[in-house]
Amino acid sequence: MLEALSIDQLRTLRAVAEAGSFTAAARKLGRVQAAVSQSIQRLESQLDLKLFDRTGRVPTLTEHGAALVAAAEKIHEDVEAVEALVARLKRGEETRLSLVVDAMFPNAALVGFAREFAAAHPAVELTIATEMLDAVTAMVRDRRATLGIAGTDADLAGLEQRHLAELRMIAVAAPSHPLAAIAGPIEDAALSSAVQIVLSERAPDGRGSADRGVLSTRTWRVADLSTKHALIVGGLGWGYEPEHLVREALARGELVALRLMAWGTAAPLRQLSLVRRKRSALGPVATWAVGRLTDLCRLALREATQAST
């Protein structure tokens, strides 16, 4: 019985219910009144239900008819969603965007991007993962993410990259740490005996990742930024953190910036790049995402720098 129902019949039923008469519904649908009446009659016959009371001058919905109209409304929404999906597919648009970002990517930019994405592409599913170092590029390489934002110190084999921004890295320690008491530039000899908290990762084969920016001979290794930050704030070591992540902690006095002789007057920079698989075509949604991620990241970092000066 239900298999014989057509979307057109349900649209006609909704039109009659909304217009209030067969004649008005016919005008709305661009049909003759007889065709609308016949469509409703066939629907009533197929369902073996009386949908309209025709005893009055104007047909009115029966209780059964009203219930069916309510169900038809839900079906109409689903049909519209399918039609919109087909239209997007014909235009080459994606139905899903998967993104993986380095944990050092500014949260303000990520939230701003998600907000704009929801407004610009409400029907497209968004997946965001946060990883560290080589894990970012591995997700893109293994097709678990369409786009990635990775440090250029990560393994970029098999990927195309586009410069995104520079992260200004600051050497920091807790005010109680011995290094914080050194007024001038800190010499390498003083660093060598101090524990450096190092962000590291462990590959599936059990090998540790290559050291990045290690100046101390004594290191504690952690696998996430929050643990590194907590250990440094706790006075257990010193380390590098992105300026935009420690700006507030510096302002509150929870951390102090260290002047390292090894780096001179210039703060070390970490390059961020947008990465994707080589020769992979980007649809319009991913292309839009590349532009907005770039702009929002640079804006967030610029605002963080201005707030620190």
Side-chain angles (χ1 to χ4, degrees), residues 173-192:
S176 60
H177 194 279
L179 291 178
I182 301 177
I186 302 173
E187 298 181 356
D188 293 355
L191 290 175
S192 64

Side-chain angles (χ1 to χ4, degrees), residues 173-182 231-237 253-256 258:
S176 60
H177 194 279
L179 291 178
I182 301 177
L231 292 177
I232 294 175
V233 170
L236 297 169
E254 295 175 354
L255 293 174
V256 295
L258 305 178

